[in-house]
Every structure is written in C-alpha cells, then in structure tokens.
Amino acid sequence: MAAPLKQLLPEYKAIERRVEAAVLARFGLPAKLPPCVKQADLILLATEQRDLMPAHDDPWEWETVPGIQPLVARIEPLDPAQACAGFLARFAELTTAAQGTHSTEGEA
C-alpha cells in the first residue's frame, strides 16, 4: 500500500506489523531486520517512482524518499502477458533446479 494511504489508515500499520512478524517467524528471520533491508526498500521505492510513476506536481507524495538515490539500472515495465510468461519461465527454472537437488527416499 502506498505510504500516503498508510498514514491515513493507522489500523493498517498494526495489521502490517502482525503480518510482517508472522512472515519473519515462518522463515526463521529475525524479528527486527537490519537497517540495510529498509535502505534497500527505499532505494527500490525511489527507482519505482522514477521509472513507473508518472511525474506530477504533488510534492507531498514524492517526498517519501528524500535523499535516496534510485538504482542506475532502469525498470522496464512489462505488459501482463510478458510478466506472466516471465514469471512462469522463472518458476519452472527454480522448481526444476530444486527437484534436482532433492533426492527421494529409496534413490541411490
């Protein structure tokens, strides 16, 4: 959810914290992530703003990442069909690789 909307919905922040805690616990991650994770998130937000969000004159919305430089690399938007095909291709790669690293019982 966009930061300006989060500020208008205080109950959303509480829900977001509970969901984050559950996800972190499920994957064995520390309850408090290191500051570099937040920094990476802000860098990607600045990159998304530059590459995916149309420019406009509303400074309040654009001041969510002051002083944060976007990545040099640009995000190239995909249409839904391209995104779906790319996702499915990568999913197939990962699941094939994972199946190759796991042997089943009884295999030599």
Side-chain angles (χ1 to χ4, degrees):
M1 180 180 287
L5 287 177
K6 287 181 187 179
Q7 293 172 357
L8 296 173
L9 302 168
E11 63 277 1
Y12 180 84
K13 289 291 248 177
I15 294 167
E16 184 179 51
R17 282 191 296 273
R18 286 196 306 271
V19 170
E20 181 179 274
V23 170
L24 294 172
R26 167 63 179 87
F27 292 103
L29 297 169
K32 182 163 175 47
L33 293 173
C36 64
V37 173
K38 181 64 174 176
Q39 181 69 14
D41 187 45
L42 291 173
I43 290 169
L44 289 174
L45 176 58
T47 305
E48 290 167 351
Q49 284 181 335
R50 179 196 66 204
D51 297 344
L52 303 176
M53 299 176 191
H56 53 80
D57 295 330
D58 184 358
W60 180 73
E61 190 172 330
W62 289 103
E63 290 177 3
T64 58
V65 288
I68 303 293
Q69 294 299 312
L71 295 172
V72 173
R74 289 197 156 311
I75 298 171
E76 298 292 332
L78 302 175
D79 66 41
Q82 292 172 313
C84 182
F87 173 84
L88 292 174
R90 183 64 176 145
F91 178 78
E93 284 178 34
L94 293 172
T95 55
T96 300
Q99 290 169 354
T101 62
H102 300 279
S103 62
T104 59
E105 286 186 41
E107 285 187 24

